[in-house]
Amino acid sequence: MPETPRPNRPAKTPPPPKRAAWLTWLLRIILWGLGLAAAGVVALVCVIAVALAVAYPNLPDISELADYRPKLPLRVFSSEGILIGEFGEERRNLTPIATIPKVMKDAVLAAEDARFYDHGGVDYKGMLRAGLANLNRVKSQGASTITMQVARNVYLSSEKTLTRKIYEVLLTFKLEHLLTKDQIFEIYLNQIYLGNRAYGFAAASEAYFGKPLQDITIAQAAMLAGLPKAPGANNPVNNPTRARGRQLYVIDRMQEAGFITAEQAAEAKKEELHLRDAADPTRLHAEYVAETVRQLMYAQYGDSTYTRGLKVYTTLVATDQAAAYNALRKGIMDFERRQIYRGPEKFVDLPNDPKELDEAVDDALAEHPDNGDVMSAVVLKANAKEITAIRSNGDTLQIVGEGLRPAQSGLSDKAPPNIKIRRGAVIRVAKTPKNTWEITQLPEVEGAFVAVDPRDGAVKAMVGGFDFGKNKFNHVTQAWRQPGSSFKPFIYSAALEKGFTPSTVINDAPLFFDAGTTGGQPWEPKNYDGGFDGPMSMRRALMKSKNMVSIRILQSIGTHYAQDWITNFGFDRDKHPAYLPMALGAGSVTPMQMATAYSVFANGGYRVNPYLVTRITDHKDKVLVEPQPPLLNDALRVIPQRNAYIMDSLLQSVASGGTAAKAQATLKRTDLYGKTGTTNDSLDAWFAGFQPTMAAVAWMGYDTPRKLGDRETGGGLSLPIWITYMETAIKGVPVAEIPVPAGVVNVGGEWYYDDYAPGRGVATLGVDTTATPPVESITGVPISPAPAPEERSKILDLFRN
């Protein structure tokens, strides 16, 4: 049987090659990874969306930054615009970006954020670069932009948490959206803390270099620009080595960024920086004035005084203030040289090792800093002929010869341990006019000086004590002291209205008042020299400051009348009881009151109140207050012009030939007027005087009253201070002649009221003319005829001795 043919079958397709298992897994991982990444992105977007939805509305309102107003301190200036005081938690000076020098802006950009004007607030390139640097463990780099720092410094705390970082980034975006780059940069340049209580670069320039920001150099700008990173560690005052390293880094960055050339960088690196010295001898010392202004401003504006950036301009004249400060300190230190040496301030153990010695000296003098030109030092060796000492700056000095005289008692072999000058003693030294050293000591005595313009009351100089840091009590305005004989002119002024004249003869003879008369203890007043010169003219009595004459005058015119009269000059009635000791200045006054009172004589009879403030502005220099100085008019007149004129004549005699004759002899001009004052037991020493354009008062005494010394007087202590000040204050001022007013006549070379001319006024007081030679032969001054018999009898009954 034949074979049945088989149907044709298609050929078999070879199976596809088998996929490698690892590739399959790789694809799966990639797909899963992409899926997870996508999910992560979605989650991140959701998180960001939630964060924006929740956090963004809760971000602080930054619209106020468009009109940036940080806490600005109260600043006080002299009349020339010299800063004399600053009060506030933060030392700051708001400076518009347009006035900030380019070199300062370039230095900050180079140090903190070179791409500031290119990024949108967060510098992603900078973050990546910083991250790589930190991973590679090179010098750690930050990635905070200037905008982020503004967000953090203005609104956020310094804690390092994720929440705070999120808020920082969100605030950064918000700032970039609402403010311009210049606005943000301006806030940063004014807001950032730079150490030494300085906020902002303008304040830092003043704090560290004592110069305006506009005058900054590349080297100084680089030093300041290095501070924001670590204002404590990079502070040139606290850590000059680290500050120098940071400065060099900023200079290199400025060159890399193209802000400066290689030549400029090299020059900046070589520049020697001189930091501001808090004890700078050229600094204007007006601390008492600044504090007085602070009190005035606080009374007006309360707590906002220290935050709103008030600028107060004063009447103070810088040259006058410097002259007053130096004159008072010189007068006090001249007095101190005559005092017994009280011994070193401290004793320390000094090691022999030089390095340890330096540290021991630094530690000792840190507790006893320099006080202006009265400097501290530690004794290295001492004997009767020489002292070797070292100062805080490392200078070694030798004191020999006359320089040892003030401390001879401390160099004696028999000196007690607390007085003995030996190795390890902390002493005070000062430079002499011959540029040698002398040993001295911080004074215990205090002083005050004030000068005002009698034409309007403007305070030109005020020094309330030897040193504000040592004693903040302002003796010019707060010290109530007995004025002594410097008060006599006001009693004489009252007497002129009662018929007395400069030629009235008054007996300088002893007086005694029993307890029944005084209402207390018996009183037997004396003259300063203990003697009595008999009858003399009122002019001569004031020139020689005769106490008996002043008492007789007061007893004649009446104590209540005199008490009323002195209120015309600004004195408090209740501080000058209506008793005879008032004639000798037994009441209480302040130096400022005395300056005001003597101004009445200087300006022809007007009372002008002293004032300090001429203008108050806000931080943008908008004038808030600008009081006008008073104009002399009849409303201000308190004594007749003729009274002031004759008193000026009397006070001129005191300054030319009386107890203050040294004034005219030294200053070589005739338009000087004044009166010395020394209280009982020499507790207070005064000189009050004036030139028609300047009334000034100097005082010296102990805070707890005690004798200045048996031979210490106002003429010896306070007058030299006044003269030293006036040498500067009225230098170049033309000699002034006071015009003769109506109602005054000159008869025989003496001045009189026309209605009290010879034959009409009081001619003698306390003088028995029948028992004395002609008065002309005693005084050399023509006098008025004797008063009417009944008046003369009354006078003689009261004052006969």
Side-chain angles (χ1 to χ4, degrees):
M1 188 169 138
E3 290 184 0
T4 305
R6 295 180 180 177
N8 293 328
R9 296 180 179 178
K12 284 186 177 181
T13 304
K18 209 169 186 179
R19 181 178 298 168
W22 66 269
L23 185 58
T24 301
W25 282 105
L26 179 61
L27 290 172
R28 289 178 179 177
I29 290 171
I30 291 173
L31 291 174
W32 276 102
L34 290 173
L36 290 173
V41 170
V42 172
L44 180 61
V45 170
C46 291
V47 169
I48 293 174
V50 171
L52 290 172
V54 175
Y56 200 85
N58 294 325
L59 292 176
D61 180 13
I62 65 172
S63 60
E64 62 185 31
L65 285 184
D67 184 21
Y68 175 59
R69 293 184 181 180
K71 290 181 180 179
L72 298 174
L74 167 69
R75 310 185 87 205
V76 184
F77 300 88
S78 71
S79 60
E80 302 91 345
I82 297 173
L83 181 67
I84 61 174
E86 195 170 33
F87 301 92
E89 295 179 5
E90 303 173 354
R91 182 182 284 148
R92 191 196 300 273
N93 187 12
L94 183 59
T95 310
I97 192 169
T99 64
I100 296 176
K102 183 177 184 298
V103 65
M104 189 71 255
K105 292 184 282 190
D106 289 346
V108 172
L109 290 173
E112 297 294 323
D113 190 359
R115 299 185 62 253
F116 171 70
Y117 282 96
D118 299 326
H119 60 65
V122 177
D123 187 2
Y124 301 104
K125 290 182 180 179
M127 292 177 66
L128 179 61
R129 183 175 60 252
L132 291 174
N134 294 338
L135 285 174
N136 291 330
R137 298 191 177 186
V138 298
K139 185 178 179 180
S140 178
Q141 297 185 15
S144 289
T145 65
I146 284 176
T147 311
M148 293 170 74
Q149 291 184 58
V150 170
R152 180 167 64 245
N153 291 326
V154 176
Y155 292 108
L156 302 175
S157 67
S158 59
E159 61 177 347
K160 295 183 178 181
T161 63
L162 179 61
T163 303
R164 197 223 58 159
K165 195 65 179 179
I166 292 173
Y167 271 93
E168 182 181 312
V169 173
L170 293 177
L171 268 174
T172 296
F173 291 141
K174 192 171 185 179
L175 285 170
E176 290 278 347
H177 176 69
L178 294 178
L179 303 178
T180 67
K181 285 287 189 179
D182 278 349
Q183 284 177 307
I184 295 170
F185 199 22
E186 179 179 274
I187 294 168
Y188 178 85
L189 293 170
N190 283 280
Q191 177 72 23
I192 197 72
Y193 178 60
L194 299 170
N196 204 16
R197 282 183 46 239
Y199 288 78
F201 288 92
S205 179
E206 293 280 359
Y208 289 110
F209 301 121
K211 64 191 301 185
L213 189 62
Q214 286 72 19
D215 300 335
I216 210 82
T217 66
I218 293 174
Q220 291 168 335
M223 178 68 79
L224 296 180
L227 292 172
K229 186 74 66 179
N234 294 336
N235 189 315
V237 175
N238 300 335
N239 197 334
T241 301
R242 186 163 179 173
R244 171 65 173 166
R246 181 67 179 165
Q247 178 206 31
L248 295 177
Y249 165 77
V250 174
I251 292 174
D252 288 339
R253 293 282 296 132
M254 292 177 73
Q255 182 183 345
E256 291 172 13
F259 294 137
I260 60 175
T261 65
E263 291 76 14
Q264 288 175 311
E267 285 297 318
K269 289 179 180 180
K270 287 188 291 185
E271 181 180 326
E272 184 179 355
L273 297 187
H274 299 282
L275 297 178
R276 178 181 185 180
D277 182 5
D280 181 3
T282 63
R283 180 167 61 96
L284 182 62
H285 288 277
E287 295 87 349
Y288 290 98
V289 176
E291 172 60 16
T292 300
V293 172
R294 182 198 68 78
Q295 294 175 18
L296 292 172
M297 293 302 100
Y298 187 80
Q300 180 70 28
Y301 297 104
D303 290 339
S304 66
T305 299
Y306 311 120
T307 59
R308 60 186 293 180
L310 295 174
K311 297 179 182 179
V312 183
Y313 295 87
T314 67
T315 56
L316 211 67
V317 176
T319 53
D320 289 5
Q321 178 66 22
Y325 175 82
N326 293 328
L328 182 65
R329 284 181 67 95
K330 181 181 184 301
I332 289 176
M333 292 310 298
D334 286 347
F335 170 79
E336 191 60 45
R337 288 186 185 91
R338 301 193 291 273
Q339 307 311 301
I340 296 174
Y341 186 62
R342 296 184 292 274
E345 297 180 12
K346 184 180 181 181
F347 296 94
V348 296
D349 294 326
L350 295 181
N352 293 320
D353 180 83
K355 185 175 181 180
E356 293 180 359
L357 175 65
D358 289 343
E359 293 178 358
V361 169
D362 289 344
D363 291 343
L365 297 185
E367 300 175 5
H368 300 266
D370 291 346
N371 188 301
D373 53 358
V374 183
M375 294 166 273
S376 57
V378 177
V379 174
L380 298 179
K381 62 179 181 180
N383 56 54
K385 294 185 176 181
E386 181 181 14
I387 292 176
T388 301
I390 185 170
R391 291 194 54 224
S392 57
N393 61 3
D395 289 349
T396 301
L397 52 93
Q398 273 75 39
I399 308 172
V400 296
E402 288 297 309
L404 299 174
R405 185 180 296 277
Q408 280 297 324
S409 60
L411 294 170
S412 169
D413 293 335
K414 297 180 180 180
N418 63 318
I419 303 297
K420 181 72 174 175
I421 299 174
R422 57 186 184 274
R423 180 177 171 83
V426 178
I427 61 172
R428 293 283 167 172
V429 297
K431 274 285 185 71
T432 69
K434 297 180 180 179
N435 205 35
T436 59
W437 290 98
E438 68 175 355
I439 190 168
T440 186
Q441 56 191 344
L442 283 175
E444 292 182 343
V445 74
E446 271 294 356
F449 188 91
V450 60
V452 303
D453 187 333
R455 297 166 295 185
D456 61 6
V459 177
K460 299 300 183 181
M462 182 170 76
V463 187
F466 179 77
D467 180 70
F468 182 77
K470 186 166 71 81
N471 187 351
K472 294 178 172 55
F473 184 79
N474 189 342
H475 296 83
V476 168
T477 58
Q478 296 176 289
W480 291 92
R481 308 292 295 218
Q482 288 188 344
S485 296
S486 63
F487 195 76
K488 290 176 181 176
F490 307 107
I491 304 301
Y492 278 53
S493 172
L496 293 179
E497 299 303 303
K498 287 290 189 177
F500 283 75
T501 72
S503 65
T504 298
V505 175
I506 306 162
N507 198 7
D508 175 36
L511 285 169
F512 176 80
F513 301 93
D514 58 26
T517 302
T518 64
Q521 298 294 320
W523 182 42
E524 187 175 8
K526 304 287 185 184
N527 286 318
Y528 174 75
D529 59 7
F532 304 95
D533 291 345
M536 64 178 61
S537 70
M538 195 165 82
R539 179 181 294 276
R540 184 167 177 79
L542 188 63
M543 290 172 63
K544 298 186 70 175
S545 198
K546 291 296 185 176
N547 291 340
M548 302 306 107
V549 171
S550 295
I551 294 170
R552 283 187 163 88
I553 291 173
L554 179 57
Q555 194 169 28
S556 175
I557 65 176
T559 55
H560 289 286
Y561 172 76
Q563 188 186 43
D564 290 337
W565 183 258
I566 65 171
T567 61
N568 292 323
F569 298 89
F571 295 116
D572 298 343
R573 181 187 179 91
D574 60 350
K575 291 189 179 294
H576 299 270
Y579 298 107
L580 292 179
M582 177 170 59
L584 308 185
S588 296
V589 301
T590 67
M592 183 66 85
Q593 274 191 337
M594 291 293 280
T596 303
Y598 271 78
S599 292
V600 175
F601 293 140
N603 63 30
Y606 303 94
R607 193 171 101 202
V608 290
N609 292 320
Y611 72 98
L612 261 176
V613 176
T614 60
R615 188 169 77 257
I616 304 172
T617 71
D618 63 13
H619 68 283
K620 292 184 177 180
D621 294 325
K622 178 184 177 182
V623 176
L624 303 178
V625 179
E626 191 168 14
Q628 296 300 312
L631 297 176
L632 299 183
N633 55 55
D634 289 341
L636 298 177
R637 178 168 292 285
V638 289
I639 65 172
Q641 187 177 6
R642 64 180 188 173
N643 186 296
Y645 182 81
I646 291 183
M647 284 308 306
D648 290 348
S649 174
L650 293 173
L651 292 170
Q652 188 178 39
S653 295
V654 176
S656 62
T659 56
K662 188 178 179 181
Q664 195 172 108
T666 304
L667 296 174
K668 308 294 187 204
R669 54 191 300 156
T670 58
D671 57 342
L672 302 175
Y673 313 78
K675 183 70 185 73
T676 54
T678 309
T679 62
N680 193 33
D681 291 330
S682 297
L683 301 181
D684 298 271
W686 294 81
F687 184 76
F690 59 89
Q691 188 270 348
T693 64
M694 185 74 70
V697 173
W699 165 85
M700 277 182 62
Y702 289 99
D703 278 339
T704 301
R706 69 176 195 257
K707 290 184 68 170
L708 291 164
D710 289 336
R711 303 183 66 85
E712 303 292 358
T713 65
L717 291 177
S718 297
L719 176 59
I721 297 172
W722 189 90
I723 291 173
T724 301
Y725 169 78
M726 283 294 193
E727 284 178 327
T728 296
I730 60 174
K731 184 178 181 180
V733 176
V735 174
E737 288 192 15
I738 300 175
V740 180
V744 173
V745 296
N746 189 289
V747 178
E750 186 57 274
W751 295 103
Y752 303 88
Y753 286 3
D754 55 4
D755 49 344
Y756 291 150
R760 298 191 182 95
V762 177
T764 61
L765 188 63
V767 180
D768 186 348
T769 56
T770 64
T772 58
V775 174
E776 288 85 353
S777 66
I778 297 175
T779 64
V781 178
I783 64 167
S784 306
E790 64 275 9
E791 183 181 358
R792 179 173 178 274
S793 175
K794 180 181 178 183
I795 292 172
L796 293 179
D797 287 342
L798 287 172
F799 302 107
R800 191 184 304 275
N801 294 283

